[in-house]
Amino acid sequence: MRRLLAVALTGALLALTGCAGGAASDRPLVVVTTNILGDVVSHLVGDDVEVMTLMRPGADPHSFEISAAEAARMRSADLLVANGLGLEEGLQQHLDAAASEGVQTFVAGDAVTVLPYTSTDADGADDPHFWTDPAQMIAVVDALTPVLEGLGAPAVTEHAAAYRADLETLDAEMTTAFAAIPADRRALVTNHHVFGYLADRFGFRVVGAVIPGGTTLAAPSTSDLADLVSAIDEAGVPTIFAESSSPDRLVRALAEEADRRVTVTELFTESLTDASGGAPDYLTMMRVNTERITSGLSP
């Protein structure tokens, strides 16, 4: 009797283990490079798909690194979602390795209307910061939805329609808010060039950036700062903006060097925060930035 009971218990345990393992393996795995895209993908797939986001909250997408275990999961994913357009500089070798091993890859930059950097120092390179224009993110969602549907996630279509509506609402809110800023005050100065898409869509001028090139890995020279001070004085901007993923020391130094009253306001630009921060998801990040830009530049 005891032997029969032991056999029965062993069989039950194996059955339970098999079910648990099967449930986990049955869910497709989507690996996403940036946390902004990771948030969007999570909204689109719901619980039907496992989403692994590589970039930690508050990290710099140009330079963050991943572990060997994360690189291995990239190569075993059912789908890899990347920003593209040169954003993930520190991750490119892993993206290339996954693609060479046949991992299906969706590059969000392929779905948008690409703009060049406004900075001449970027030598006409493509600007990867398309998410500052919600209309561009809508284009990404439209292109990504059928790819996710192809993974066999039944709720993607419904989730995508709902999230697309949220993006359209966000777009309308930003249009209304920015329309209230006088045209002569729509000038943006930041750590580096992030707002080209927002500027193009909503009628802003990008006066300059503390870091003149297209990457946070660059550093400004003394002449760069001097030229930017002149541009700020000429434009008469009351506020310059520091990015949450970059130290604002240089921006504050610039404000002091300009020898005039300039407010420094933090924006969330290249990374979401954790749940306790001010930008735990893409929609919140964009609404917070819209309010801060509007408050900073309005009379």
Side-chain angles (χ1 to χ4, degrees):
M1 179 65 70
R2 283 197 298 268
R3 179 177 298 176
L4 290 174
L5 181 59
V7 170
L9 288 173
T10 301
L13 287 172
L14 288 173
L16 287 173
T17 303
C19 289
S25 62
D26 284 346
R27 285 204 307 167
L29 171 64
V30 177
V31 175
V32 189
T33 57
T34 72
N35 53 45
I36 292 175
L37 284 174
D39 174 64
V40 173
V41 171
S42 295
H43 277 88
L44 298 182
V45 300
D47 296 328
D48 295 325
V49 173
E50 179 185 356
V51 178
M52 176 183 174
T53 301
L54 297 174
M55 180 179 159
R56 306 294 186 269
D60 184 336
H62 297 274
S63 59
F64 79 97
E65 298 179 350
I66 62 173
S67 67
E70 289 170 326
R73 293 211 76 190
M74 287 178 66
R75 296 192 297 272
S76 65
D78 296 283
L79 177 67
L80 176 60
V81 177
N83 188 94
L85 302 176
L87 182 75
E88 301 100 331
E89 298 173 69
L91 198 62
Q92 194 58 53
Q93 60 177 328
H94 299 294
L95 293 170
D96 294 341
S100 68
E101 293 189 20
V103 177
Q104 182 183 12
T105 302
F106 176 88
V107 179
D110 292 342
V112 306
T113 302
V114 180
L115 299 177
Y117 273 110
T118 55
S119 170
T120 57
D121 299 283
D123 296 324
D126 293 335
D127 185 346
H129 306 95
F130 58 81
W131 61 85
T132 61
D133 176 2
Q136 300 278 17
M137 190 63 87
I138 289 174
V140 171
V141 168
D142 288 345
L144 180 56
T145 297
V147 178
L148 294 173
E149 289 172 338
L151 297 179
V156 168
T157 304
E158 181 181 353
H159 288 318
Y163 194 70
R164 194 183 195 283
D166 290 339
L167 291 173
E168 290 174 344
T169 298
L170 170 66
D171 186 80
E173 291 173 358
M174 292 177 66
T175 299
T176 300
F178 291 147
I181 304 173
D184 61 349
R185 296 174 74 94
R186 294 186 196 176
L188 297 172
V189 180
T190 59
N191 286 58
H192 82 288
H193 289 279
V194 175
F195 290 102
Y197 289 88
L198 182 146
D200 182 74
R201 177 70 188 287
F202 298 107
F204 284 83
R205 291 172 294 127
V206 179
V207 174
V210 178
I211 301 174
T215 169
T216 56
L217 304 183
S221 66
T222 301
S223 61
D224 289 330
L225 291 176
D227 291 343
L228 191 51
V229 166
S230 299
I232 290 173
D233 287 339
E234 182 178 349
V237 292
T239 303
I240 58 180
F241 299 99
E243 302 166 61
S244 59
S245 62
S246 301
D248 66 353
R249 177 177 56 84
L250 289 174
V251 173
R252 294 191 181 280
L254 177 61
E256 295 171 2
E257 189 171 344
D259 195 26
R260 55 192 294 281
R261 291 191 61 184
V262 178
T263 301
V264 179
T265 298
E266 182 184 65
L267 297 180
F268 302 103
T269 55
E270 294 194 300
S271 178
L272 302 181
T273 65
D274 58 24
S276 63
D281 60 75
Y282 171 70
L283 296 174
T284 300
M285 178 186 80
M286 295 298 289
R287 289 189 168 103
V288 169
N289 286 345
T290 297
E291 190 280 328
R292 292 182 181 181
I293 292 172
T294 302
S295 297
L297 299 179
S298 295

